[in-house]
Amino acid sequence: MNKFLWPLGLAAAIFSPAPLWAQNALTLDQALELAAARSPSLSAAAREIEAADGALRQAGLRRNPELSSSVEDLRARTRTTTTLLGLPLELGDKRPARVAAAERSKDLAVADLALARAELRARVTASYFGVLLAQERRSLAADSAAIAQRAKDAIGKRVAAGKASPVEDTRARVDLANSQLEAAEAQAELQTQRFSLALLLGQTSPSFERVAGEASAAPKRPALEALLAQLDSAPSLQTARLERERRMALVAVEQSKSTPDVLVSLGAKRNNEQGLTQAVLGLSIPLPVFDRNQGAILEALRRSEKASDELEATRLRLMAELQEAASRLAMADQSLQTLQETVLPAAQQTYEAASKGLEAGKFGFLELLDAQRSLLQARSRYLNTLAGAHQAAAVIDRILGR
């Protein structure tokens, strides 16, 4: 952990045994494993693949034969019975077109599962670091309360010795009360973040007390040019591409329906009165005079064109999101470096000097209060910037499916 995020004046607590809330720690790998095992969205996507398997199997089946029988004259002596077996012949490559469309549907279901995994991983990662940073904010709030308590005690001694005005003591009490309220709010925020992460892990209440990790470590990702080079393999783009292919396959299915099927009939006709059995051969051909499936073909073509437009729109949207996230991450990285190297050390030194000066009677409470607020604001800004960096990295990972 960055040294500027450690509680000031609590060195003894750093080397003391871990508190109860720190015993049950959850790692990021454990969180991702639990989420993948219990996620209903992943389960639903996997079942869609199973359903696509059924559709693919159905698409490859041939049409069933037809058996028909007719009787002329119900009297047994003069009865004529005709029995026919009809064999449908699919023309126009209907069956291969159906199979191709079903295969594209299965490919799309597989891509949807990959997309669901990428989105879940990004959400869990973002929530995990949300808990991690909430833990640090709680530590900062506790540190703020400790600083305010020390300032109040120092002012109390000066007031008792007649070296400071009682007004300063009142201000110190107000500042302590505000710090304690902030500590309570930070604790509540931590609980909210913990419950949000628990829900992603399939838990109704958190089974962990804290998450383990290095809060001060900023996420690193390749440069924008390298990220854009990986965009073609993004799960969302792959899903849109497969949807376009599926729509094109459906166009072929509708076009194949414009060719009518032929029904070949083979059977026998039994004439009881004459005692004859005659072979019967029939051929049935629909005449596509009015319905040539032209409306369905037009619909499929337009939906195919729509899928192509959506693919391009998805590409542009992902490119914009990737550029924005990469820019935010780069800006956050620069800000974190400045905060670590310049702002935080200067704020800490100023506070330590003001604290010692107050105890020695060289500075007043207002100087210490200003130094204290500057330090806490710098540390809070560091955490907020770090949170923004993790959020930007999570967006990048979600887009690229990492």
Side-chain angles (χ1 to χ4, degrees):
M1 182 182 298
N2 189 288
K3 64 180 181 179
F4 299 113
L5 298 181
W6 286 12
L8 299 176
L10 300 178
I14 295 176
F15 299 101
S16 63
L20 293 178
W21 60 267
Q23 300 296 327
N24 188 11
L26 178 72
T27 65
L28 179 57
D29 290 339
Q30 291 172 340
L32 293 173
E33 183 178 355
L34 285 173
R38 301 177 182 179
S39 171
S41 61
L42 293 188
S43 178
R47 294 189 186 280
E48 182 62 26
I49 295 178
E50 297 174 358
D53 281 330
L56 178 57
R57 179 179 179 182
Q58 184 65 34
L61 298 178
R62 299 182 183 276
R63 288 182 57 183
N64 292 323
E66 301 176 5
L67 180 63
S68 65
S69 179
S70 62
V71 177
E72 299 177 16
D73 196 342
L74 298 180
R75 293 173 296 178
R77 185 176 61 84
T78 59
R79 179 182 304 162
T80 299
T81 304
T82 303
T83 302
L84 296 174
L85 177 64
L87 301 176
L89 300 180
E90 288 188 305
L91 304 179
D93 293 330
K94 292 184 178 64
R95 182 167 167 267
R98 289 199 309 269
V99 172
E103 288 175 344
R104 300 293 80 73
S105 294
K106 182 178 178 180
D107 293 341
L108 179 59
V110 173
D112 283 337
L113 177 59
L115 177 60
R117 285 175 176 164
E119 291 179 345
L120 178 64
R121 182 180 181 88
R123 290 174 60 193
V124 171
T125 302
S127 182
Y128 177 89
F129 282 105
V131 176
L132 186 61
L133 293 174
Q135 290 174 175
E136 294 301 323
R137 288 191 179 96
R138 180 183 63 175
S139 297
L140 284 182
D143 187 16
S144 175
I147 292 175
Q149 183 65 55
R150 291 175 56 194
K152 176 186 172 299
D153 294 342
I155 289 297
K157 293 179 181 179
R158 290 176 57 81
V159 171
K163 297 181 179 179
S165 169
V167 175
E168 293 188 1
D169 183 66
T170 302
R171 290 177 178 174
R173 292 178 182 275
V174 172
D175 185 65
L176 175 60
N178 288 331
S179 299
Q180 292 173 341
L181 288 175
E182 292 176 356
E185 292 173 354
Q187 178 64 30
E189 175 63 20
L190 175 59
Q191 294 301 321
T192 300
Q193 294 289 345
R194 289 177 63 245
F195 271 92
S196 297
L197 177 58
L199 291 177
L200 291 176
L201 305 183
Q203 303 172 356
T204 56
S205 61
S207 62
F208 57 93
E209 293 297 330
R210 64 184 295 271
V211 298
E214 183 61 54
S216 62
K220 299 295 182 181
R221 296 296 182 271
L224 178 59
E225 292 75 12
L227 294 176
L228 291 175
Q230 305 174 33
L231 187 60
D232 282 340
S233 60
S236 296
L237 204 58
Q238 182 70 8
T239 299
R241 189 179 296 114
L242 288 172
E243 174 62 17
R244 181 189 61 178
E245 295 179 4
R246 186 181 76 89
R247 288 294 178 180
M248 294 174 63
L250 290 176
V251 172
V253 170
E254 297 301 333
Q255 289 175 338
S256 69
K257 292 179 182 180
S258 63
T259 302
D261 296 337
V262 174
L263 180 64
V264 178
S265 301
L266 179 65
K269 182 178 182 180
R270 175 64 181 177
N271 191 321
N272 290 349
E273 184 177 6
Q274 297 179 2
L276 296 176
T277 300
Q278 299 172 310
V280 178
L281 182 62
L283 182 64
S284 175
I285 303 177
L287 299 178
V289 177
F290 304 108
D291 183 5
R292 298 183 302 276
N293 206 40
Q294 58 267 38
I297 293 175
L298 179 61
E299 177 188 3
L301 283 171
R302 294 300 176 263
R303 292 192 183 279
S304 175
E305 295 169 356
K306 175 187 175 184
S308 297
D309 293 339
E310 289 176 343
L311 171 60
E312 186 60 25
T314 300
R315 184 190 305 276
L316 295 176
R317 175 178 59 82
L318 293 180
M319 185 179 298
E321 292 180 359
L322 193 59
Q323 290 176 336
E324 180 184 358
S327 176
R328 287 167 48 200
L329 183 58
M331 181 61 66
D333 186 66
Q334 294 178 2
S335 298
L336 289 173
Q337 184 175 359
T338 301
L339 287 168
Q340 284 181 326
E341 296 177 356
T342 305
V343 178
L344 286 171
Q348 184 172 350
Q349 292 174 2
T350 301
Y351 166 74
E352 291 175 351
S355 179
K356 294 178 180 178
L358 178 66
E359 294 176 355
K362 297 180 179 180
F363 297 112
F365 173 70
L366 292 179
E367 287 81 359
L368 176 63
L369 183 60
D370 289 340
Q372 171 190 333
R373 288 176 177 172
S374 297
L375 175 60
L376 294 179
Q377 287 175 357
R379 294 163 70 186
S380 178
R381 182 175 182 181
Y382 182 88
L383 283 181
N384 291 335
T385 304
L386 191 60
H390 282 294
Q391 291 173 358
V395 172
I396 294 174
D397 294 343
R398 174 183 58 80
I399 293 174
L400 299 180
R402 295 183 173 182

